[in-house]
Amino acid sequence: GYDEMGGMGGMMGGMGGAGGLGGGMVPQPPPGLPPGLAGLVPTPPSVPPPAAPNGDKPMPTHEISLGGILSAAVLADAAEYAECVEDIRSACEEHGKLLHFSCPKEGEPDAGNAYLKYEQIASAVKAFEALNGRDFDGNTVKATFLSAGTLQA
C-alpha cells in the first residue's frame, strides 16, 4: 500500500512539474479551453432554430402549396378524399377569398398536396402562418409560398 501511495505522489509531482513547464509555453492554454467550450456546446444548437424561421422568412406571394396534407389512404378512398378536400378548402377560406383551390388526386402529379391562390397576399400570409406545421388528419402540413403565376386562377 505504501509503495502505491509513493507511486501516486511521484505521478502527481511529475504532473505538477509538466504543468509548471507547460505553463510557460504557448501551447499550454488550449488544453484548458476544451472544457470551457464543452460547457458552451449545448447553447449554440438552441440558438439557430428560433432565429431561422423569423430571420429567413420566405417571400410571400398570393400562391401557396400545402405539401403532404393528404395521406395515401385518403387519396385511395374517393369518399374520404372528397370530405378532406372540403375540410381543407373551408380551413383555407377562413383566411381570405380563394381565387384557386386544387388537390391533385391519386395518380396525378403532386397528389397529396393542396394548392391555393388568394385574392390578397395578406390572406395568403395568414393562411401560411396558420397552416404551416399544422397536423391535418395525422399529416404534418408543409406550407410553401409559390412564385407568382404558378397557379392559374
Side-chain angles (χ1 to χ4, degrees), residues 35-92:
L37 288 174
L40 293 174
V41 168
T43 319
S46 64
V47 175
N54 303 336
D56 191 28
K57 269 200 171 164
M59 191 67 184
T61 66
H62 293 84
E63 303 171 32
I64 298 176
S65 89
L66 301 176
I69 196 163
L70 294 172
S71 67
V74 168
L75 289 168
D77 181 333
E80 182 77 8
Y81 168 83
E83 191 179 308
C84 286
V85 168
E86 278 311 304
D87 290 350
I88 296 164
R89 180 191 280 272
S90 61
C92 295

Side-chain angles (χ1 to χ4, degrees), residues 5-149:
M5 289 300 257
M8 286 292 260
M11 286 284 279
M12 291 293 199
M15 284 243 195
L21 281 172
M25 292 164 66
V26 179
Q28 191 58 22
L33 283 175
L37 288 174
L40 293 174
V41 168
T43 319
S46 64
V47 175
N54 303 336
D56 191 28
K57 269 200 171 164
M59 191 67 184
T61 66
H62 293 84
E63 303 171 32
I64 298 176
S65 89
L66 301 176
I69 196 163
L70 294 172
S71 67
V74 168
L75 289 168
D77 181 333
E80 182 77 8
Y81 168 83
E83 191 179 308
C84 286
V85 168
E86 278 311 304
D87 290 350
I88 296 164
R89 180 191 280 272
S90 61
C92 295
E93 286 176 337
E94 289 172 19
H95 306 289
K97 185 176 179 201
L98 286 169
L99 299 176
H100 172 98
F101 176 85
S102 65
C103 287
K105 292 184 171 75
E106 187 176 31
E108 294 178 1
D110 303 313
N113 297 344
Y115 296 93
L116 327 170
K117 182 171 187 170
Y118 283 94
E119 191 173 51
Q120 298 181 334
I121 285 184
S123 301
V125 170
K126 280 194 287 190
F128 178 92
E129 288 173 354
L131 300 169
N132 189 34
R134 181 173 152 186
D135 179 80
F136 185 84
D137 202 30
N139 300 319
T140 302
V141 177
K142 178 161 179 26
T144 311
F145 285 110
L146 301 171
S147 48

